[in-house]
Amino acid sequence: MSDWIDIGALGDIPQRGARVVKTPLGCVAVFRTILDEVFALDNACPHKGGPLAEGIVHGSSVTCPLHNWVFSLETGQAQGADDGGVATYPARIDAGRVYLDANFLQMRAAE
Amino acid sequence: MTQKIVVIGAGMASGRVLEHLSDAGADVEVTLFNAEPRGNYNRIMLSPVLSGDKTYDEIVTHDAHWYAERGVTCRFGEKVASVDRGAKTVTAENGDVLPYDKLVFGTGSNPFIIPFPGHDLEGVIAYRDLEDTERMMGLGEGHKAVVIGGGLLGLEAAAGMAARGVDVTVVHIMGHLMERQLDEAAGYLLRKALIDKGITVKCSANSKEILGENGHVKALLLDDGTELPCDLLVMAVGIRPNVALAQDSGLQVGKGIYVDDQMITSDPDVLAVGECVEHDGAIFGLVAPLYDQAKVAAQTLMGAKATFVQKELSTKLKVTGCDLFSAGDFADGEGREDIVFRDPARGVYKRLVIEDNRIIGAVFYGDTADSNWFFGMIRDKTDISDMRETLIFGPAFQGSAPLDPMAAVAALPPDAEICGCNGICKGTIVEAITGGASDLGAVRATTKASASCGTCTGLVEQLLAVTMGDEFESKQAGICGCTDLTHEEVRRLIKSQELKSMAAVHQELGWKTSCGCHVCRPAINYYLLADWPVEYQDDPQSRFINERKHANIQKDGTFSVVPRMWGGMTTPNELRAIADAAEKYDVPTVHVTGGQRIDLLGVRGEDLPAMWADLNRAGLVSGHAYAKGLRTVKTCVGTDHCRFGTQDSTGLGIKLEKKLWGSWSPHKVKLAVSGCPRNCAEATCKDIGVVCVDSGYQIGVGGAAGMDLKETQRLADVASEQEAIDLATAFMQLYRENAKYLDRPYKWIAKVGLDWVKERIVDDLDERQALIERFELSQSIYQKDPWAEHVAEQANAYQPIADFKLEAAE
Ligand code: SRM
Ligand SMILES: Cc1cc2nc3c(=O)[nH]c(=O)nc-3n(C[C@H](O)[C@H](O)[C@H](O)COP(=O)(O)OP(=O)(O)OC[C@H]3O[C@@H](n4cnc5c(N)ncnc54)[C@H](O)[C@@H]3O)c2cc1C
Ligand code: SF4
Ligand code: FES
């Protein structure tokens, strides 16, 4: 069974927006969609490292702010003609708080 | 031997248990306690009672006669005070002790009351039982009520009271109504219907405090300072399973009373049903699963084996005129596909979410006739691959060959009406096309079809395609994959149909996606705020990062900061503050821009608010170097110092910048004012450029010196400084109101013609004045320093939400 780390209140992430979580190996972006789902992805675009957390969130996708690659929040994969992807981490909401899988730090270390 | 059963709570779930026991002729002796002073009634029909469509008597499910016939001992208006599971007895409030063989909990749930200051005032109620309903019914015409909570219950309460002439305001914390059941588009339609019923709806509204007078509620105070006066405040913000008694009696309890698949609690002689239970992690708030539970519980009591299985649930709202339906999972997702159907004229929205050829979710508004058919397919996980094309049209369309839209148009008879606004039928349009009208514009010009509301544009284009065959190519492309409408069409429709929210645009103009994309959202956000500055609320999440964080993003994810230097003027004090900030925040690059100001490049996102606060203290505000809005106003030193200067070019530049800064526009806007025709400020390649001459001011527009090099065209020569300012302002507003998003003024002028612009702002003084007034109205809202605002209100949003850097890496 996995443990979950409370990273903050859902209300602290705007709908169709994101906040970042800092880790020793770079930032993880935690997104919130219009339907109040949360997704955690590596914050660095595979193209040229664009900060995905700053992109426009639409449906369950985000558009990289630097050159408009579009990524699925669920799989981390680039959509359409672009090729590439970022790692995703389990995230969930409970009673208005956002949790990441406690193992995500290790998962990052293992990559 | 006759089983002694004690039932705690005469609710909808336990009522069903008793019915099943009675139908099966079970050998039982039942004592039924109920805290409410009455027996079982159909709680969900309280809303029709409230609105006056039904009376209480009509919703009673079990009357005194029913209980008497079945030998049920009724103890209504009496609570069970405690349970002794060891002795297998319950104790009533009056001290009576009753033995049981089996005990059934059906205690339902308690409405949740948010403990705002003032929540205990008289006149603050929930919506759960007949007493609450009667309080609302007693309010009467002309009184005011506030409902907190825009979910199912809150809206039924609001609609019921409104039907009785009460002035009702609904305050909802989320961005759209019933967000758990509806997506944004359906939420928008629902809101519109409620507003039509005279209900005021406030979304994204945070309640702060309930204000009272002499112990009675007087108003609700929102955190933005709005006060909503009310005589009654109904809180409908959710329910919590009523588990206190079960907990006291030592039963295992989580969110609800734990039960297994047979509805047995942690004590084999105690069962529980209804909203008070927790089964396999889930709690319940709708009657369908409770009825299933009741069936199982009755079987268990009779010693038979039955199993409770959780099933898909669907929701409808019992408000007359608001037909909505939602079921399943309607979140967007990888591998999921939406089928969206919108009929703006009828206010219909239907959305199906498909995964692996199965419908997994559905949201309908306005036409729910086929909802049961769809719900059945969700439950049965029906494979829909064969009917995909026509699925959304419902059962009536299945079984026949799928209809190709072109074939459908071709098959229409000549007298079929295409354009409802202008009453134009197919024959007229085809005649115009064969007579030479070869594109949409020409059809519009000759027949008027699609020239009003524009919703038939698609049909007209199909007619062009069908009639002309390969010769026709749809010339105008839609904004993006979300719509076939062009920017110009959308702008026109936003104005003519008075669309004032993103959801309104998506619904009324038939958007094909649920919430737009990164291409259309920034454009629509701009159109809405430009056309409805007062009504529309700017949506930062629909803006590109630069405009969301008020700084230019750099290739390494850092930002650049450019403070405004009015007319290119600065002071030692400002320069010192900039230098200090550069040092304090380790700015790697300080560059003098081509726009007469200083750019600090490479600032960390987290440092922005602190840096802005420092710059603000020296009087420096955002230079909007990142904005589709007013950027710089370059000036030369003019009459102040230059031997050739004819007018105060620096002063005019500063006045123009002070007037226009902070306004958003379709693309960036740059100005310059030169003091003489030598033109040192390069005014002849700016969006608006003023060249001062002895006789006054030459005003040029539509210049640029970026990807295209454009010289300004002369708009007018004027004698006074005030006229120059007025013309520049009116031009700015005309551009703001009419241009396509991301068209610089020169591109826009090329489309509408300079004469069209001149007619409006040079020749027509009334129009000029009206434009200036509309600009000023917009500025009264948007002319504010975003840096100061963000420092004060959302500095936190610039920080990571959590930081695990300090924890040792493995
Ligand atoms: C900072 C600056 C260069 C400099 O160091 O001098 C600059 C920097 C950028 N320019 Fe510029 N432009 C700068 C003056 C200019 C000028 C000269 C001027 O304004 O006098 C021009 C030509 C004049 C004009 O606009 O017509 C200019 C024409 C452009 C264009 C082409 C616009 C066009 O319509 O063709 C772009 C692209 C765009 O806006 O889409 C652009 C876009 C950009 C962007 C915003 C690119 C981007 O999206 O990241 C650069 C941002 C850098 C940053 O992070 O701060 N920049 N850019 C100048 C800032 C002026 C200011 O104080 O605000
Ligand atoms: C206005 C309204 C509209 C609704 N509309 C719908 C709808 O459209 N569709 C839908 O599916 N659902 C709807 N619901 C929800 C539905 O009514 C509930 O899910 C259902 O009533 C729950 O049944 P229950 O038997 O668990 O609890 P209840 O019906 O609440 O019954 C519990 C009873 O137990 C009594 N009790 C509690 N503690 C004790 C005690 N210690 N001793 C004695 N008695 C006790 C309570 O007084 C109460 O009468 C609506 C609810 C409301 C309030
Ligand atoms: S000229 Fe090109 S590279 Fe230089 S600042 Fe402008 S946009 Fe950037
Ligand atoms: S860095 Fe993300 S698209 Fe280029």
Side-chain angles (χ1 to χ4, degrees), chain B residues 323-655:
Chain B
D323 289 331
L324 65 80
F325 169 86
S326 108
D329 181 354
F330 49 85
D332 289 315
E334 177 72 7
R336 290 185 180 178
E337 199 188 323
D338 270 348
I339 300 182
V340 177
F341 170 87
R342 308 196 194 226
D343 181 345
R346 286 194 301 141
V348 171
Y349 169 77
K350 298 186 184 186
R351 172 157 167 243
L352 297 175
V353 182
I354 314 282
E355 190 172 53
D356 295 335
N357 286 321
R358 290 180 169 66
I359 309 178
I360 58 161
V363 185
F364 296 162
Y365 190 95
D367 176 0
T368 53
D370 300 328
S371 56
N372 289 340
W373 185 70
F374 286 107
F375 187 48
M377 293 210 282
I378 296 179
R379 280 199 148 179
D380 305 344
K381 306 194 165 53
T382 311
D383 187 322
I384 50 89
S385 19
D386 291 345
M387 40 186 162
R388 200 186 193 89
E389 305 298 320
T390 50
L391 185 63
I392 194 90
F393 302 112
F397 281 81
Q398 309 311 320
S400 53
L403 223 52
D404 160 19
M406 287 298 185
V409 172
L412 288 174
D415 60 356
E417 186 174 88
I418 300 286
C419 171
C421 297
N422 296 294
I424 314 295
C425 54
K426 178 182 164 187
T428 316
I429 298 171
V430 171
E431 215 170 282
I433 297 171
T434 45
S438 62
D439 61 22
L440 193 62
V443 172
R444 279 192 186 143
T446 40
T447 68
K448 279 214 156 43
S450 118
S452 297
C453 83
T455 46
C456 63
T457 303
L459 279 176
V460 174
E461 284 193 322
Q462 283 165 9
L463 274 179
L464 278 159
V466 167
T467 316
M468 295 171 61
D470 291 344
E471 270 176 72
F472 174 76
E473 278 171 46
S474 174
K475 290 189 191 92
Q476 296 183 310
I479 295 180
C480 59
C482 304
T483 178
D484 293 333
L485 296 170
T486 64
H487 283 274
E488 286 79 2
E489 285 167 331
V490 170
R491 280 221 86 165
R492 188 166 49 78
L493 292 167
I494 285 176
K495 291 190 191 49
S496 64
Q497 298 194 8
E498 304 200 0
L499 307 178
K500 298 181 184 174
S501 69
M502 193 79 76
V505 170
H506 291 167
Q507 170 60 24
E508 303 295 349
L509 306 185
W511 240 242
K512 290 184 258 177
T513 51
S514 61
C515 79
C517 71
H518 68 273
V519 178
C520 60
R521 282 234 308 275
I524 306 302
N525 185 57
Y526 168 71
Y527 296 151
L528 288 166
L529 73 83
D531 287 337
W532 311 109
V534 180
E535 296 92 333
Y536 178 68
Q537 175 86 39
D538 181 26
D539 174 20
Q541 302 310 129
S542 292
R543 285 177 177 268
F544 181 62
I545 181 63
N546 289 1
E547 293 186 354
R548 204 179 324 135
K549 285 206 165 159
H550 296 280
N552 270 305
I553 196 161
Q554 308 291 300
K555 63 178 191 174
D556 61 355
T558 61
F559 291 87
S560 73
V561 171
V562 186
R564 207 167 269 292
M565 283 182 177
W566 307 96
M569 300 295 284
T570 185
T571 62
N573 191 38
E574 286 182 352
L575 291 172
R576 208 171 281 122
I578 292 173
D580 287 346
E583 274 181 357
K584 183 167 167 192
Y585 300 100
D586 300 324
V587 171
T589 308
V590 182
H591 187 249
V592 176
T593 73
Q596 293 189 338
R597 43 204 195 160
I598 293 174
D599 196 351
L600 303 166
L601 299 113
V603 182
R604 284 178 298 270
E606 298 134 75
D607 288 338
L608 290 172
M611 185 167 180
W612 293 338
D614 288 353
L615 294 170
N616 276 166
R617 267 190 289 278
L620 291 159
V621 299
S622 165
H624 291 90
Y626 47 81
K628 309 285 176 248
L630 183 85
R631 296 269 177 101
T632 63
V633 179
K634 281 171 80 167
T635 70
C636 71
V637 286
T639 41
D640 281 351
H641 300 277
C642 177
R643 62 198 167 112
F644 296 117
T646 59
Q647 313 280 353
D648 178 11
S649 54
T650 327
L652 175 56
I654 294 172
K655 283 181 191 151

Side-chain angles (χ1 to χ4, degrees), chain B residues 1-5 26-30 71 100-102 301:
Chain B
M1 207 188 79
T2 306
Q3 259 195 116
K4 276 197 175 52
I5 299 183
D27 183 12
V28 292
E29 192 186 300
V30 177
Y100 65 78
D101 298 318
K102 297 280 176 192
L301 285 170

